Amino acid sequence: MSRFLYRLGRGAAAHPWRTICAWVLLAGVVAGLAGAVGGTPQDDYDVPGARAQVGIDQLRAHLPAAGNAGARVVVHDRDGRPVPSDALTTLTGRLQAMPHVVAVEPALPSADRDTAVVTVHYGVPVTHPDLMGNLAPLDAAAAPLRTAGLQVELGGDVPESAAAPMAGRGELVGVVAALLILVLAFGSVVSAGLPIATALVGLGVGSAGVTLLAAAMDVSTAAPMVATMVGLGVGIDYALLLLTRHAEYVAQGVPVVEAAGRAAATAGRSVVFAASTVLVSLLGLRLAGLPVYSSFGFATAIAVVSVAAASLTLVPVLCRFAGRRVLPRSVRRGARPGTGTARKAGVEAGAPRTPLTTRWAARVARKPVLWASAAAVAMLALAVPALDMRTWPQDPSSQSTSVTTRRAYDLVSAEYGPGSNGPLTVVADRTRLSDDAVARLAATLAARPDVVAVTPATTSPDGAISVLDAVPAFGPTDARTGRLVRDVRASLPAGAELTGGTAFFSDISDMLAGRLWLVIAFVVGVSVLLLAMVFRSVVIPLKAALMNLLSIAAAYGVMTAVFQWGWATDLLGLDHAQPVSSWVPILMFAILFGLSMDYEVFLLSRIREDWLATRDSRASVVRGLSATGRVITSAAAIMVAVFLGFASEVDVVVKQLGIGMAVAILLDATVVRMVLVPATMSLLGDWNWWLPRWLDRLLPTVHAEAVGQIPATDGAPATGTTDGAPATGTADPATPGARPALRPTPPAPSHPVADDEPELVGAP
């Protein structure tokens, strides 16, 4: 792989306009195909494994008005006067004239008659393109009543699909924050803008790829947002890693084109492996059992592949154009290529130039037990609230009061009771249940203390099913709802099915809670195997998986405290505590585990590279952390800014996802990478690299960094040694334009290592 990446990076830098033309051609082809045959994201709300889906399918087959999309128009007089009947008649007529409407129920007045609810039934599912995200017909029908001074709010399936659109602030906040962070961290506007430009190009091509994906399968309307969130973050990370290694070589006096090749052969392999771990994690989403997660995984994978490809090819091009401007101005003024001053400045300008990180790493290594204990206690304390986490799919009650669906929900709850927002629907198969059996079923439900009303049974025109609704005594997000659904379902006779939105949400919540452990097992297992292949160790991958799980658990805990306990809902524009969305934990885990592995690869590859050269375990940890600390910190800060930008959106699921992922990345880059990793590795010493001989023979060897020899092509000299020593040296100033002839630094192992000896297999 290193030979291919070296040629790719060096070739891109040597022929920048060819590379740019290739990307322009690729972008044009993909965009043209997307415009010609691309699809539109469309949700698929059917869940075949959910018990409530059985009843929904029966309703669609025999009573389409009850089994497809619906909407509620809630009319309220703010002065407390009865809603005029002629206004309701006009509204009903306008609603009946809307496309796809098959029935409009008579207006249902409240007890004091200052509120009325008109229910609209459609003959198609809410995912139909004419309905999904389209509030215009409902707004037009309600316009005369609003003009007359009445309050009109919209609820139900159709309004909920359009009530909280994405404002697009996340991308803007992320890009601006990334630019500021990179300017402060690297002291160069060129170095700051280069990763952002690369990520945006890759993200643009990836977005067109997601449009093509939508032509081949149902892609959730939220999938492009998740793909953008992850793609923007990792794209900047990958470009930043390559840029940093390139700048190190340039600061050492290596010509720009050669430096681009070497950066691709070293840091480029970290990028490839890091992207692979993200893709593996995304594959785990398919195990969640819901089609929507598959679309999340595929869309995000397209974005990750696109930004990784852009980083590997466009970073060398932009570095060629930038020349030595990738270095801070102070370094450029104080040193010239090929001089001893350049070498000295290179040490200061490269990754090891951050003395604060070096001092920090040395301090942690001196007292590893203290630091590891303190960090572990802090992470466990943050994770404790996760034990109380309760999940429930998003519903209008979780949204801001600025959204019409939330106001409609509140009006219905206040005027008709909280359970009216989530009735339980019972579908009775008339071939198995007689009239008397249906009547007994209704009486049994009405006798329950947690049910306040049961509607009369309605029989379908073909006489195949009867339908009745039971109104709970509490709202659908109440903690008692799940138990109510299970109890009612257990009491139903054979031939009766419990369905409706509340039962459907309860089934989804239970399904996802059970599937979470399957996703965790798959993602952790495959990631551990990949890390073992790369780092030739049993301890390193197990420790990495444990720490990643710890950071994700802490993020779950913070999210539970913020949203479910209500510790910071006011700061997020929410007026009450609410459960964590059922959609968030699995999605968060799959994405975060891959992103955490990115940082693990960046850090451990440098530690291992140094350890192979010196066999000094503790010093290798210090030098590796010093070399990557600035990159990881800057990359994490950018990622946190991107995720917090998405947390500013109106939709509460996006808020929860943004907050949870921002907290996880923050903890992972600070507590885990800067404290737990160096402390535990200092404690374990050479045991970090222990690998049984039998396992060493079974595992394929994959390198994340070029710890051996960087390939020499076109007459370029080899840079590195076969024993893993890092190459150092300078260009020969006597030969203008010549590639640098590097003198390898021989390793100084703490103990002799035979040529045929595996890398620290067996006991250290």
Side-chain angles (χ1 to χ4, degrees):
M1 180 186 295
S2 60
R3 182 176 297 275
F4 169 75
L5 291 175
Y6 174 82
R7 289 177 173 175
L8 181 66
R10 194 176 188 282
H15 306 285
W17 291 111
R18 294 182 188 177
T19 307
I20 291 175
C21 289
W23 268 97
V24 170
L25 179 62
L26 174 64
V29 170
V30 175
L33 289 174
V37 300
T40 302
Q42 180 174 332
D43 288 296
D44 180 4
Y45 290 162
D46 289 347
V47 182
R51 179 74 179 275
Q53 186 70 45
V54 177
I56 291 175
D57 292 340
Q58 289 178 313
L59 289 172
R60 289 175 179 171
H62 303 287
L63 200 61
N68 286 299
R72 278 179 167 180
V73 181
V74 184
V75 184
H76 176 68
D77 190 297
R78 295 182 179 91
D79 296 328
R81 296 187 296 265
V83 177
S85 59
D86 58 339
L88 295 175
T89 301
T90 301
L91 174 64
T92 300
R94 294 172 68 89
L95 293 173
Q96 287 174 335
M98 294 190 310
H100 305 294
V101 171
V102 295
V104 178
E105 295 183 8
L108 177 64
S110 61
D112 55 9
R113 308 190 68 82
D114 66 348
T115 305
V117 175
V118 181
T119 302
V120 182
H121 297 285
Y122 297 85
V124 293
V126 68
T127 53
H128 191 282
D130 292 345
L131 301 185
M132 191 73 180
N134 185 12
L135 274 180
L138 286 167
D139 281 331
L145 278 72
R146 288 172 173 156
T147 302
L150 294 171
Q151 179 185 359
V152 182
E153 306 297 348
L154 306 176
D157 299 342
V158 175
E160 287 170 18
S161 71
M166 293 287 293
R169 290 190 293 266
E171 297 92 334
L172 180 61
V173 171
V175 170
V176 173
L179 185 61
L180 294 175
I181 291 168
L182 291 177
V183 169
L184 293 175
F186 291 89
S188 170
V189 175
V190 173
S191 293
L194 193 151
I196 297 173
T198 304
L200 290 177
V201 171
L203 197 59
V205 174
S207 298
V210 173
T211 303
L212 289 175
L213 177 68
M217 62 178 291
D218 287 334
V219 174
S220 169
T221 53
M225 178 273 298
V226 175
T228 298
M229 182 189 300
V230 177
L232 183 61
V234 300
I236 295 175
D237 282 5
Y238 298 159
L240 184 57
L241 181 66
L242 285 160
L243 173 64
T244 302
R245 184 57 74 95
H246 174 86
E248 290 179 20
Y249 286 126
V250 171
Q252 294 169 5
V254 178
V256 171
V257 172
E258 179 68 16
R262 297 186 186 187
T266 53
R269 290 208 281 188
S270 289
V271 168
V272 171
F273 184 74
S276 299
T277 60
V278 175
L279 295 178
V280 166
S281 296
L282 293 173
L283 285 177
L285 288 174
R286 288 185 57 82
L287 300 177
L290 272 69
V292 65
Y293 281 114
S294 295
S295 70
F296 280 134
F298 287 130
T300 308
I302 290 174
V304 170
V305 170
S306 298
V307 297
S311 298
L312 291 170
T313 53
L314 291 180
V315 167
V317 170
L318 297 179
C319 286
R320 164 69 184 276
F321 290 147
R324 289 181 55 80
R325 285 177 295 172
V326 298
L327 301 175
R329 183 176 299 179
S330 59
V331 175
R332 298 199 304 269
R333 288 176 176 175
R336 292 182 179 275
T339 67
T341 306
R343 292 196 302 271
K344 182 178 179 181
V347 173
E348 295 174 356
R353 72 170 181 168
T354 50
L356 178 61
T357 308
T358 305
R359 293 197 304 270
W360 175 262
R363 178 179 298 176
V364 172
R366 282 195 297 270
K367 296 182 178 179
V369 175
L370 175 63
W371 286 104
S373 301
V377 169
M379 296 290 281
L380 290 172
L382 290 173
V384 166
L387 298 174
D388 189 44
M389 180 188 289
R390 184 171 68 88
T391 60
W392 188 262
Q394 174 192 5
D395 74 357
S397 68
S398 62
Q399 298 290 3
S400 166
T401 53
S402 64
V403 179
T404 185
T405 52
R406 168 64 190 280
R407 294 193 295 268
Y409 185 99
D410 290 344
L411 281 172
V412 170
S413 181
E415 299 288 343
Y416 301 90
S420 299
N421 280 300
L424 302 176
T425 301
V426 179
V427 181
D429 185 350
R430 294 310 304 270
T431 63
R432 304 175 65 183
L433 294 174
S434 63
D435 289 342
D436 291 341
V438 172
R440 288 195 299 271
L441 171 58
T444 300
L445 290 174
R448 293 183 61 93
D450 45 13
V451 172
V452 296
V454 176
T455 62
T458 301
T459 302
S460 62
D462 59 5
I465 60 172
S466 290
V467 182
L468 55 88
D469 288 337
V471 180
F474 38 79
T477 60
D478 192 281
R480 296 168 288 181
T481 298
R483 184 171 61 251
L484 172 62
V485 170
R486 290 189 292 271
D487 290 348
V488 169
R489 184 170 280 155
S491 67
L492 294 179
E497 291 290 345
L498 184 66
T499 188
T502 299
F504 193 61
F505 279 3
S506 180
D507 291 345
I508 290 176
S509 184
D510 292 341
M511 287 177 60
L512 294 180
R515 289 276 184 166
L516 176 62
W517 300 107
L518 180 60
V519 174
I520 289 175
F522 171 81
V523 172
V524 172
V526 177
S527 299
V528 166
L529 179 61
L530 289 176
L531 286 179
M533 292 164 53
V534 171
F535 295 110
R536 317 307 298 172
S537 168
V538 172
V539 176
I540 289 293
L542 292 177
K543 179 173 62 65
L546 180 61
M547 290 182 182
N548 287 352
L549 290 173
L550 188 60
S551 63
I552 294 173
Y556 284 168
V558 171
M559 193 167 56
T560 301
V562 168
F563 291 96
Q564 186 175 317
W565 293 359
W567 284 10
T569 50
D570 291 344
L571 297 177
L572 297 171
L574 304 174
D575 63 338
H576 68 289
Q578 54 195 264
V580 175
S581 173
S582 299
W583 307 104
V584 170
I586 286 182
L587 189 60
M588 264 185 62
F589 177 84
I591 294 174
L592 286 174
F593 202 88
L595 297 181
S596 296
M597 283 299 179
D598 278 4
Y599 299 136
E600 188 78 5
V601 171
F602 297 167
L603 173 59
L604 290 180
S605 58
R606 294 300 290 266
I607 294 176
R608 178 173 170 79
E609 181 179 351
D610 191 281
W611 178 81
L612 287 172
T614 65
R615 301 289 172 167
D616 186 339
S617 297
R618 178 168 295 188
S620 296
V621 172
V622 174
R623 287 191 289 265
L625 184 59
S626 176
T628 58
R630 183 179 57 165
V631 178
I632 292 177
T633 302
S634 301
I638 293 167
M639 196 85 74
V640 169
V642 170
F643 293 150
L644 288 179
F646 281 93
S648 66
E649 296 286 350
V650 174
D651 189 84
V652 71
V653 173
V654 179
K655 285 182 182 291
Q656 292 183 356
L657 195 61
I659 291 295
M661 294 177 69
V663 169
I665 294 298
L666 177 64
L667 293 174
D668 190 83
T670 54
V671 180
V672 174
R673 304 297 154 214
M674 302 299 289
V675 181
L676 274 176
V677 169
T680 54
M681 293 191 73
S682 297
L683 277 173
L684 292 169
D686 285 352
W687 282 102
N688 285 298
W689 314 108
W690 175 74
L691 182 69
R693 292 184 182 274
W694 63 268
L695 186 57
D696 182 62
R697 290 191 295 268
L698 290 176
L699 286 176
T701 300
V702 179
H703 292 298
E705 282 272 9
V707 295
Q709 184 177 14
I710 297 176
T713 59
D714 302 329
T719 60
T721 63
T722 56
D723 59 14
T728 59
T730 62
D732 183 1
T735 308
R739 296 189 182 95
L742 300 189
R743 297 184 296 275
T745 301
S750 56
H751 60 278
V753 181
D755 291 341
D756 58 349
E757 180 183 348
E759 297 168 355
L760 200 66
V761 295

